[in-house]
Amino acid sequence: FQALPDLYFRMHGDGVIEDFRAGSGVLAVPPEEFLGRRMQDVLPPEVGRRVEGVLEEVRRTGELVCMEYALPLEVGVRDFEGRVLPLGDGRLIAVVRDITEAKEAERALVAREEHFRGLIENGQDLIVILDAQGVTTYMSPSAPRVIGWTPEERVGHSSVEMIHPD
């Protein structure tokens, strides 16, 4: 357990934490502040309400339920993925992993995509994306001004059709 990056919490069916294994993960609060308490009472109210809903769903369905959430910690806000599953004896186990690096990369990718999409969609030049067969899959909004066709008229058609036969 100590070599794994995950946090493991064993709980009674009502969410009271009875045991944990920290692995190499970082605990939001010291164990004496959460052992014997309900998971949803230890976390910030918004996250606690979501956890309560997840625990109810696990009890109701008997199936694994996943959730993502952010927690403000001393080192800054961290993103986590929690997986809660029933143990079969009325208890539950929560496996929690810090996914901050992956979420930061995802947010950076979305920001870059929005930036470049804005450049393409507001640019004066015609930008066309073709698939391997030469079929138009994207055409920038400047198309009507530059070539007289709307993107809707050209997407899904061969690019060769746009070239004058001569």
Side-chain angles (χ1 to χ4, degrees), residues 75-152:
V75 295
V77 175
R78 305 295 293 181
D79 293 292
F80 294 91
E81 175 189 70
R83 296 171 180 256
V84 181
L85 61 149
L87 290 175
D89 60 359
R91 293 186 206 160
L92 307 169
I93 189 165
V95 181
V96 178
R97 178 169 285 187
D98 186 331
I99 58 169
T100 303
E101 287 181 21
K103 294 304 273 185
E104 287 173 350
E106 184 180 307
R107 287 188 285 266
L109 181 61
V110 166
R112 273 196 311 274
E113 183 178 313
E114 288 173 1
H115 172 76
F116 286 110
R117 182 171 304 280
L119 290 174
I120 289 171
E121 292 188 354
N122 295 304
Q124 298 301 310
D125 296 328
L126 175 65
I127 297 173
V128 179
I129 299 174
L130 309 173
D131 67 13
Q133 290 72 43
V135 175
T136 303
T137 60
Y138 173 84
M139 186 172 282
S140 63
S142 63
R145 184 184 52 75
V146 177
I147 60 172
W149 284 312
T150 66
E152 294 78 20

Side-chain angles (χ1 to χ4, degrees), residues 6-28:
D6 301 327
L7 302 168
Y8 299 87
F9 299 94
R10 191 173 65 227
M11 301 170 280
H12 296 285
D14 60 0
V16 173
I17 303 166
E18 62 181 34
D19 194 16
F20 78 99
R21 297 287 181 269
S24 60
V26 177
L27 294 169

